[in-house]
Amino acid sequence: MHRGKIYIVLIACLAMISCSPKALREAEEVVAQADSLRAAGQMYGIDAGDSATLAQAYETLGYLSLFNFHFSPSYAHACYHYGRLLREKDNPVEAVQCFIDASHTRTHDYHILGRVYSNMGSICHLAGEFPLSYDMYKKSADMFLHNGDSTAYFYALNDMAFELAENREFKLALCLLDSIKLNCTSSAVIAKTNETRIILFKHTHQYDSILYYFDSVPSYINNEPLVLISKAQAFCYLQQYDSATCYATRTLQASNDLYDRNNAFYILIHCDSIHNGNRVYSLNADRSDVQKLLEIRQGKLSQAVQLLEQDLHRKPNLGWLYAVCATLIVVGLVVFLYVYRKRRQRSLLSQQVEDLTIQNKEAEERQAKQYHERLRQIQENCEVLACSDNVMDSIQWKKYENFCEFINAHFFLLADKLKATGCLNEKEIRLCVLVLIGSLSDKQMANILYYSYKSIRSTKRTLAIKLGTTSANLRSFLMKKAAK
């Protein structure tokens, strides 16, 4: 016992010596440089700077935090940057320890804490611990929300949905994705949710849906490794082996990720055996090498997850508990006042939430009323045009620009809304207006647009498909689109 106390004193003295004001200043300068590099999309120790210097900064600031001589707000940043560097160097166990250290700091920098929990979530995901990964991403989302970073918050929600999908909790995943789509305005976040939907389709064996879905997502996503391997897997399950081979090969060219390469080699081996090819042995050898690396990395990831779980479930130190209880007795009055104040704040917050709910409900009612009023005006305008002696002159049919101005003025910018779809030409927009008026027969519309009577119905059907509806519901669809 006496010897243990001596060791503690010696460690404390070494910490005090190593943590001179100069050492502290240098450590904080290194962390500031790492922050600047991260803002520029680079990593300290990889793109610039020395990894040993970052490690020293992490240790220096860690001594201060351990012995409470001084609290540096840079310590959480040091933990984060050094943890990222260790992850990059395939050392997830020590990386998790860095992130755990960051989570134990007294920092109020919720942005950096959000990134810390996000990294722990990624490590848990790679280890296949999807429920734990979901918990880490949830903590990350809470931090970003507390920081007011809406974009990072929605990214974290998508990560949560991804883990739910991997854990086969499809309904909950879809609810989260729908919430993101409804509330987020960032196109980059929406594009990221497309990858999560792909995972949902894969787990529910909707391989036709995977291929169909790619036609509706932004083209740049189609070059992402996840998309390439998903296409390869979909084509393989649909027994389109040439296409599967093509996308599996593209995956190998685009990704160094071991999981992607393992899956790509599996598809190539399967397709080659189907076609009685001569590459099975070489492909099996390549896949075997990848699987060995996966086993090594999986062992490291498992250790990292165990370290995190131990931290999450560690038992409290009773000695510290007694000290805390004694302190609480002394400052009981302060705690009472603090709790009282918090309750008042919580009550005020509940009232604010209730007021906001009422305001939102009133806003929704106003919007619904406005929507129905617009529908009524649109119907009245259509009836007026239907009763006109010369509908074509009334809507200024001959000159397209004047025609669009008239439709925009009387049908709540419908012409601009149809143009904004990007899939309709001038003639199709004119046909939409004729259908909307509602008084013209197919034969009359065919004569006006110089179509044959036989082709007008197929033209309307094609137009409806472009707009995502049916011929029977086309007029109703156009009225609703104009009223929105």
Side-chain angles (χ1 to χ4, degrees):
M1 185 68 178
H2 179 67
R3 183 177 297 177
K5 291 182 178 179
I6 293 175
Y7 287 155
I8 293 175
V9 172
L10 289 174
I11 294 172
C13 292
L14 288 173
M16 293 179 68
I17 294 171
S18 63
C19 297
S20 64
K22 181 181 178 181
L24 171 63
R25 184 171 59 255
E26 291 175 351
E28 290 180 336
E29 287 175 357
V30 168
V31 174
Q33 292 173 15
D35 284 337
S36 299
L37 285 171
R38 182 188 60 78
Q42 296 179 323
M43 183 181 295
Y44 194 99
I46 299 294
D47 301 299
D50 182 14
S51 59
T53 305
L54 182 58
Q56 183 59 52
Y58 164 73
E59 292 178 2
T60 299
L61 296 170
Y63 284 136
L64 297 175
S65 176
L66 179 61
F67 294 101
N68 293 315
F69 298 139
H70 172 73
F71 175 68
S72 172
S74 299
Y75 181 49
H77 288 248
C79 294
Y80 166 70
H81 291 300
Y82 192 46
R84 286 184 66 217
L85 180 61
L86 290 169
R87 277 196 68 191
E88 187 68 22
K89 292 182 177 294
D90 197 26
N91 191 347
V93 178
E94 293 187 20
V96 163
Q97 184 59 63
C98 289
F99 297 137
I100 290 173
D101 291 342
S103 68
H104 291 171
T105 62
R106 300 189 299 274
T107 182
H108 295 295
D109 188 339
Y110 297 107
H111 177 79
I112 206 68
L113 288 176
R115 289 183 173 274
V116 164
Y117 285 118
S118 179
N119 273 269
M120 288 196 283
S122 297
I123 291 173
C124 294
H125 171 80
L126 292 174
E129 297 291 338
F130 304 126
L132 183 57
S133 179
Y134 173 88
D135 292 340
M136 293 300 101
Y137 282 131
K138 187 177 186 303
K139 288 187 177 183
S140 176
D142 292 340
M143 293 299 106
F144 288 132
L145 183 62
H146 199 90
N147 193 55
D149 190 342
S150 60
T151 300
Y153 170 70
F154 284 118
Y155 271 123
L157 287 186
N158 178 65
D159 290 332
M160 291 165 60
F162 198 100
E163 300 309 311
L164 289 171
E166 291 282 22
N167 206 40
R168 307 301 197 272
E169 297 182 50
F170 303 127
K171 290 185 179 179
L172 292 176
L174 282 172
C175 287
L176 265 182
L177 291 174
D178 291 340
S179 176
I180 295 171
K181 185 176 181 181
L182 181 64
N183 297 292
C184 181
T185 58
S186 171
S187 58
V189 175
I190 299 301
K192 197 68 177 174
T193 62
N194 292 327
E195 298 181 5
T196 305
R197 294 186 185 275
I198 292 168
I199 295 299
L200 283 169
F201 288 139
K202 284 171 63 176
H203 287 320
T204 53
H205 307 292
Q206 299 180 61
Y207 303 112
D208 285 324
S209 297
I210 291 177
L211 300 178
Y212 177 80
Y213 188 70
F214 286 125
D215 295 333
S216 64
V217 300
S219 58
Y220 68 87
I221 293 180
N222 288 317
N223 294 319
E224 292 292 325
L226 174 65
V227 174
L228 294 175
I229 192 61
S230 297
K231 278 190 172 182
Q233 291 169 331
F235 280 123
C236 186
Y237 279 106
L238 294 173
Q239 299 182 2
Q240 299 182 35
Y241 299 117
D242 289 338
S243 297
T245 299
C246 173
Y247 281 100
T249 303
R250 288 180 59 185
T251 301
L252 293 177
Q253 295 169 349
S255 176
N256 291 321
D257 181 79
L258 294 177
Y259 291 104
D260 290 341
R261 297 184 71 82
N262 183 51
N263 290 329
F265 279 127
Y266 172 81
I267 292 171
L268 290 174
I269 292 168
H270 180 71
C271 293
D272 194 71
S273 63
I274 291 293
H275 292 304
N276 296 318
N278 55 5
R279 299 175 57 203
V280 172
Y281 293 106
S282 63
L283 290 171
N284 269 317
D286 291 338
R287 188 179 183 223
S288 179
D289 292 339
V290 171
Q291 288 178 328
K292 288 178 182 178
L293 294 174
L294 275 173
E295 290 177 4
I296 295 172
R297 190 172 75 170
Q298 197 64 28
K300 296 178 181 178
L301 290 169
S302 297
Q303 293 178 34
V305 170
Q306 288 177 5
L307 183 63
L308 177 58
E309 289 178 335
Q310 289 172 5
D311 179 72
L312 293 174
H313 299 99
R314 70 182 188 277
K315 296 181 179 179
N317 187 318
L318 295 180
W320 284 103
L321 180 60
Y322 296 146
V324 169
C325 289
T327 304
L328 287 175
I329 294 173
V330 176
V331 297
L333 180 60
V334 176
V335 173
F336 171 79
L337 294 174
Y338 175 80
V339 172
Y340 175 75
R341 183 182 176 187
K342 283 293 181 181
R343 285 180 177 176
R344 287 194 61 186
Q345 290 177 344
R346 194 177 300 114
S347 176
L348 180 60
L349 180 60
S350 298
Q351 184 61 44
Q352 291 174 344
V353 169
E354 184 178 351
D355 293 342
L356 184 59
T357 301
I358 293 173
Q359 292 174 8
N360 289 340
K361 185 176 180 180
E362 291 175 352
E364 291 174 357
E365 290 174 354
R366 287 196 299 270
Q367 290 176 356
K369 184 177 180 180
Q370 182 186 49
Y371 174 77
H372 290 297
E373 177 60 22
R374 285 188 173 186
L375 282 177
R376 186 189 63 79
Q377 292 181 19
I378 291 169
Q379 184 61 39
E380 287 182 0
N381 291 342
C382 289
E383 291 173 358
V384 170
L385 289 173
C387 296
S388 174
D389 294 332
N390 193 328
V391 177
M392 297 298 102
D393 289 342
S394 298
I395 62 177
Q396 302 184 40
W397 179 266
K398 293 182 179 180
K399 192 170 183 181
Y400 183 64
E401 293 180 357
N402 293 342
F403 165 77
C404 289
E405 289 178 1
F406 177 88
I407 297 305
N408 284 334
H410 292 81
F411 295 96
F412 303 100
L413 302 176
L414 177 60
D416 288 348
K417 292 176 182 177
L418 293 173
K419 291 177 183 178
T421 62
C423 63
L424 302 181
N425 56 35
E426 176 184 336
K427 213 166 186 180
E428 289 171 330
I429 291 175
R430 288 180 180 273
L431 177 55
C432 285
V433 173
L434 296 179
V435 171
L436 177 65
I437 293 172
S439 63
L440 299 173
S441 66
D442 286 349
K443 184 174 182 181
Q444 289 175 315
M445 287 189 284
N447 291 335
I448 293 170
L449 293 168
Y450 301 105
Y451 286 120
S452 68
Y453 177 71
K454 293 182 179 180
S455 66
I456 188 66
R457 290 190 177 180
S458 62
T459 303
K460 285 172 63 179
R461 185 166 52 254
T462 301
L463 174 61
I465 292 172
K466 283 187 176 182
L467 292 173
T469 184
T470 62
S471 298
N473 295 324
L474 181 56
R475 184 171 186 267
S476 175
F477 173 85
L478 292 169
M479 290 185 70
K480 292 177 181 178
K481 189 173 188 67
K484 286 182 180 179

